[in-house]
Structure formats: structure tokens, C-alpha cells
Amino acid sequence: MQQRLAILGSTGSIGKQTLEVCRQFPDRFTVEVLTAGQRAEELIHQALEFNPNMVVIGDESKYDTVSEALKNTDVKVFCGSKSIADAATVESVDTVVLALVGIAGLEPAYAALKAGKKLALANKEVLVVAGELISKTAIENRAAIIPIDSEHSAIMQCLQGESSASIEKIILTASGGPFRGFNKDQLQHVTLQQALAHPVWSMGNKITIDSATMMNKGFEVIEARWLFNIPAEKIDVVVHPQSIIHSMVQFVDGSVKAQMSRPDMRLPILYALTWPERVPAPFQTNGIKDIFSLTFEKADTETFRHLSLAFEAIKTGGGAPCVLNASNEIAVDLFLHNKISFLDMQQMSEAALSKIAAGAIGSIEEYIALDAETRIFCQTLNH
Ligand code: NAD
Ligand code: MG
């Protein structure tokens, strides 16, 4: 039977690579739902190729364009963010691929899990903001969350056949980004253009900046904490510039398992969709044959404060990771618009974490309110 997919964020980096996987495996996957934020033309193009049941364009002002272009097809067209969350619950969908960015994915993720859908998760910020609630919702509704993030896919692959009691620690690998080895003085003068030039991966702008600051790795610590139900003290980060080992698990007997491949997101996407099966893929035909050296370095958490902030936020618990995420979304957006400097980004998150009271939180509405409060705080800080 074909697996029926809803791809939320289909015009982004992960979304397009998911469609590439669908193209390679037409017998396995069929596309039921596609959603995009702004890029109407690309969404129309994708709809004409994959003929989904429905599409949603987030930007309501582009509804007419999409609807007009698809008027001679059977594709139903909707708009707005509420429709994106609704699209995650459509009955004919088996698996929701969540490839939105930031807190925009929270309500769709929650809706998908409540509807009992398998969630193939790229949008890590959902677990950063509301990991406890999202994990609980998945368990209550017997819905699986399968990671697309390459590190977490690696960990999941290492854990096949293992019990969680035998985990000593999780070792997340980090490429180190474009500023690996830089000190604070050097970071003071880096430009947006330099920050956007990632040495290994080609990704959306937001995660590319998060990789340059190491916020991405900090978020991945929080993501791993919830996905694998493991305390943050048992999660280490090591810099591995070649990005061949995607992460490792050390077991109680001292044995360490690693998952390796060339860096290519289509692999963890395919694994998330076919797990527990492994299928022959056309992407990695050379394996790691001509890779001769794998090196490791200690992560510099003094210079890249974002990484420490993530550990601090998870230790504080409650709403602290939500505050960290919201302040980071604002900071990255300001940096992308050349409004603040590279190091201002960590200062903004430090200020938000120290000033905003973030106690225990129980509902989606409370997370959204805390997110909004943090955004206002950060915007005021910038004026
Ligand atoms: P991207 O910016 O390339 O794509 C984002 C997609 O989401 C686009 O289709 C966009 O239209 C849509 N979108 C964004 N904001 C929206 C909103 N408010 N409402 C409706 N639609 C919206 O991002 P990406 O690089 O594909 O990353 C997606 C997620 O996957 C992120 O959370 C990122 O951290 C994670 N991730 C990405 C990679 C990668 O290689 N790109 C690797 C690991 C994890
Ligand atoms: Mg990753």
C-alpha cells in the first residue's frame, strides 16, 4: 500500500528534498497535501506535477493566484495558517512531513499528533518550544514522531535493537559551521554573507544562521532530550568538521555506535518515511569509499554561547526553551535584515532568558502567549 503524505513547507529545502524522494519512489509514496508560506508559483508548479488532493498557501493575499492557476485541476485550494494546521489532519493522510520553520510548526504538529498521524519531523523548533506537551500528545494518541534531522536519524538508527536503559550517553556531532575556530573578537566583525555560507549543508536561511551561531546544535540537544526521553546531562556535543558521522550513542558497556554517510538530507528523509524498513536508495552509491579522515574537536561553548544557553534553558525547564526559541527567531530575523550584528543575537537571547519569567506551562495557548510576550520584549530591546 502506498504511504500518503502531507508535506507542510513543501517549497523549502527539506520540502523540496522530500518531493525528490517521492519522485524516486512513485510506488511507495503519494502526495495528498502540499503547503507553502509565500512561494505561490513554486507551489502551483508542485501541484501540477504531483496532483495532490489539496494545497494551502499560507499568505492569504496569494490565494487568488494559486486558485486561478489550478482551476482546471481537481486540486482543492485553501489559504491561511489555520488551514495549514487543518491540512495536517486530513483523513486520507498517513504521514505528515513537517518542514516548516520555527514556532509556525507548533499547531500543525499538535493537530497531526492528535489526529494520530505519523509525524516525520524536520521542524525541530516544535520540540524545543513544547517538547513535553508534544511528546505527551504523541504517546496519548499512539502517534510516532520520526526525526528527519540527520543527527537524530543517526541516533535512532544506532538505537535499533537496543533498550533505552543501555544508553550511557548520546554524542551529537556538529560541523562547527562557517566560524569554527573563531574567537569572540573575530566573531564581532563577521558579515551576513559569511554567516550564510555553510561549509557542508545547503539549507534554508534560518537554520543556516542557527548553524553559524551553534544555536542549531543547542536546539538539537533539546530535540534529542524529548525524542529519546533522555536527560540533557547525558547528551554531549562534539565538533566533527567532515560531517560524515551524523551522531553516536555510547552504551553502558563502553561500546559506541555511530551512523555514517555522506551529508545528504534525502537519506534521513527516506529513512523517516520507510522506517523500520531500509530500502535501496539511488543517492549514496559510493558510500564513504574515498573518505580517509574523520576528526573531532571540543565544542567551544564559551565563544558560541548559544550552545550553553540551550543547556541552561532545558535545565530551567518550563517555558525557558520557548523563550530561547522566540528570542532567537527575532534575533535571526533582525540579523538576516542587517539590523543587528552577529554577537547581538546571543545577547538578545541572554537578555530574554534572564528577564522573562517562564514557569510551568501546560497548554499550546500558554506556549503561544509566552512566545508572543518574548517577541515583544525583544523588539522593544531593539528600539
Ligand atoms: P526553508 O526556509 O527552506 O523552508 C521552510 C518552508 O516552510 C517553506 O516551504 C516555507 O514556505 C514554509 N514556511 C515557513 N514559515 C512559514 C509560515 N509561517 N507559515 C507557513 N509556511 C511557512 O527551511 P528548511 O531549511 O527546509 O528547514 C525546515 C525545518 O527543517 C527547520 O526547522 C530546520 O531547522 C529543519 N532542518 C532543516 C535541514 C536542512 O537541510 N534544510 C536539516 C535539518 C533540519
Ligand atoms: Mg541537524
Side-chain angles (χ1 to χ4, degrees), residues 219-267:
F219 283 168
E220 290 183 355
V221 170
I222 303 176
E223 182 184 11
R225 186 261 170 271
W226 294 113
L227 276 174
F228 306 108
N229 192 21
I230 189 165
E233 302 82 66
K234 287 192 167 192
I235 305 173
D236 283 355
V237 173
V238 63
V239 173
H240 165 52
Q242 296 83 16
S243 297
I244 296 296
I245 295 182
H246 297 298
S247 276
M248 303 180 255
V249 179
Q250 183 172 320
F251 294 94
V252 285
D253 59 359
S255 185
V256 178
K257 279 196 199 172
Q259 185 267 339
M260 293 184 243
S261 71
R262 284 173 196 282
D264 182 337
M265 287 309 295
R266 290 172 302 178
L267 207 67

Side-chain angles (χ1 to χ4, degrees), residues 107-290:
E107 287 180 279
Y110 187 65
L113 294 170
K114 286 212 121 180
K117 307 292 185 196
K118 171 172 139 186
L119 185 64
L121 183 71
N123 192 179
K124 67 193 85 186
E125 294 92 339
V126 165
L127 285 176
V128 172
V129 171
E132 190 167 4
L133 178 66
I134 289 292
S135 319
K136 193 172 108 213
T137 308
I139 293 166
E140 280 170 4
N141 294 283
R142 295 168 185 264
I145 305 178
I146 314 287
I148 283 179
D149 214 352
S150 56
E151 294 76 4
H152 305 75
S153 176
I155 295 160
M156 184 170 160
Q157 294 181 52
C158 292
L159 289 176
Q160 296 303 297
E162 306 283 357
S163 76
S164 56
S166 61
I167 305 173
E168 177 81 31
K169 63 179 170 184
I170 283 177
I171 306 162
L172 281 174
T173 52
S175 74
F179 305 134
R180 179 172 63 91
F182 278 41
N183 61 31
K184 273 236 158 101
D185 281 346
Q186 290 168 303
L187 283 185
Q188 217 138 41
H189 308 293
V190 299
T191 63
L192 173 59
Q193 210 183 358
Q194 286 173 301
L196 282 173
H198 196 278
V200 182
W201 302 97
S202 159
M203 309 177 285
N205 280 350
K206 198 253 179 188
I207 182 174
T208 304
I209 300 304
D210 285 345
S211 300
T213 59
M214 302 281 285
M215 183 75 276
N216 181 53
K217 210 48 56 179
F219 283 168
E220 290 183 355
V221 170
I222 303 176
E223 182 184 11
R225 186 261 170 271
W226 294 113
L227 276 174
F228 306 108
N229 192 21
I230 189 165
E233 302 82 66
K234 287 192 167 192
I235 305 173
D236 283 355
V237 173
V238 63
V239 173
H240 165 52
Q242 296 83 16
S243 297
I244 296 296
I245 295 182
H246 297 298
S247 276
M248 303 180 255
V249 179
Q250 183 172 320
F251 294 94
V252 285
D253 59 359
S255 185
V256 178
K257 279 196 199 172
Q259 185 267 339
M260 293 184 243
S261 71
R262 284 173 196 282
D264 182 337
M265 287 309 295
R266 290 172 302 178
L267 207 67
I269 292 169
L270 179 64
Y271 187 78
L273 296 179
T274 62
W275 173 85
E277 207 181 331
R278 211 182 258 290
V279 301
F283 325 124
Q284 297 258 344
T285 42
N286 273 329
I288 54 168
K289 205 170 74 195
D290 48 1

Side-chain angles (χ1 to χ4, degrees), residues 8-15 17 35-39 58 84 98-102 104 122-125 149-150 201-205 207 216 265:
L8 310 191
S10 64
T11 55
S13 162
I14 293 291
Q17 293 180 85
T35 84
Q38 304 277 340
R39 287 192 213 138
I84 295 181
L98 194 67
L100 301 177
V101 186
N123 192 179
K124 67 193 85 186
E125 294 92 339
D149 214 352
S150 56
W201 302 97
S202 159
M203 309 177 285
N205 280 350
I207 182 174
N216 181 53
M265 287 309 295

